[in-house]
Amino acid sequence: MSAQVPMNMTITGCMLTFYRKTPTVVFWQWVNQSFNAIVNYSNRSGDAPITVGQLGTAYVSATTGAVATALGLKSLTKHLPPLVGRFVPFAAVAAANCINIPLMRQRELQVGIPVTDEQGQRLGHSVAAAKQGIFQVVVSRICMAIPAMAIPPVIMDTLEKKDFLKRRPWLGAPLQVGLVGFCLVFATPLCCALFPQRSSIHVRRLEPELRAQIHEQNPSIEVVYYNKGL
């Protein structure tokens, strides 16, 4: 997650700059989702092991889904104003996050993540907590992308009509990368903080077996805690 700003400002800046041609759309969406896959896997919750085969399948599915989404959206905007086309990368990234994060963290959805009491004592594993945690991460990542992928396109669309940038087209890419970086510096910590790292879930929302087990151990527990990941 420490690499989120420097890596994403470069990747997202290039995605927003080179959105017109299909080969560049494919390349930068693949680079972006490859980086996201690493971040999602590294910042997952729980300690259940995942095999190389499962990891490879998740990576291929996540990146393929993202690229296919980007190309599909790009084809729909061919006859629309250029400004609309600039927002295709954001729509693709938002949709891809809904695919990439659950796939790279699919093991949590299969076996659950550890839930603890207020003192940190492990009570069991919950798939319901994993679903809630992954949903929160998807929301925070999409919100994180909004400023960086929504504000620069509007600014660049205006600047590219000015004589200054028309005479210096080579400035387009670095300017876009800089604008994205500026937005991410604020959006990344703010959106990571949308939901607490140590999230909570009411016992009544857990699986019946786990709920019964917790009530048997300590009937007074109403809320359990878990690490949602980033």
Side-chain angles (χ1 to χ4, degrees):
M1 190 55 69
S2 299
Q4 186 76 356
V5 174
M7 287 295 292
N8 261 335
M9 67 182 284
T10 304
I11 296 170
T12 303
C14 290
M15 285 170 62
L16 293 173
T17 302
F18 307 112
Y19 69 93
R20 292 184 178 90
K21 296 181 180 178
T22 299
T24 54
V25 169
V26 171
F27 176 75
W28 286 109
Q29 283 291 338
W30 169 73
V31 170
N32 184 52
Q33 291 309 317
S34 296
F35 172 69
N36 283 346
I38 295 168
V39 172
N40 295 336
Y41 178 74
S42 303
N43 292 281
R44 69 195 186 281
S45 179
D47 49 14
I50 181 170
T51 66
V52 175
Q54 289 172 325
L55 193 59
T57 302
Y59 167 73
V60 171
S61 302
T63 51
T64 302
V67 171
T69 303
L71 292 177
L73 290 170
K74 182 177 180 296
S75 66
L76 292 174
T77 60
K78 280 182 179 177
H79 305 295
L80 295 176
L83 182 59
V84 176
R86 288 180 181 272
F87 288 97
V88 168
F90 167 69
V93 165
N97 273 322
C98 299
I99 301 168
N100 196 317
I101 295 170
L103 281 173
M104 293 307 297
R105 295 176 59 173
Q106 61 180 281
R107 191 69 177 154
E108 298 170 42
L109 299 172
Q110 294 167 351
V111 301
I113 58 175
V115 294
T116 67
D117 60 17
E118 197 169 2
Q119 287 71 43
Q121 181 180 350
R122 186 174 292 199
L123 302 170
H125 287 73
S126 171
V127 171
K131 289 178 180 177
Q132 179 176 292
I134 289 173
F135 173 76
Q136 290 175 346
V137 171
V138 169
V139 171
S140 65
R141 291 289 188 81
I142 291 174
C143 290
M144 196 183 296
I146 290 173
M149 302 193 79
I151 297 172
V154 176
I155 295 173
M156 291 303 298
D157 190 65
T158 303
L159 291 178
E160 285 179 359
K161 295 172 183 174
K162 306 292 184 183
D163 290 338
F164 176 80
L165 212 56
K166 283 180 180 178
R167 292 197 298 268
R168 302 169 182 85
W170 54 271
L171 274 176
L175 190 56
Q176 188 121 247
V177 169
L179 286 169
V180 170
F182 179 78
C183 293
L184 283 173
V185 163
F186 298 98
T188 300
L190 284 171
C191 294
C192 280
L194 281 177
F195 305 99
Q197 180 74 37
R198 188 179 185 233
S199 290
S200 60
I201 184 171
H202 203 281
V203 171
R204 67 172 178 268
R205 296 181 58 191
L206 300 175
E207 295 82 346
E209 302 83 5
L210 180 57
R211 191 165 60 235
Q213 179 184 320
I214 292 171
H215 281 153
E216 186 179 337
Q217 293 174 5
N218 191 337
S220 64
I221 294 179
E222 294 186 357
V223 175
V224 294
Y225 301 89
Y226 63 91
N227 173 17
K228 73 172 178 62
L230 290 174

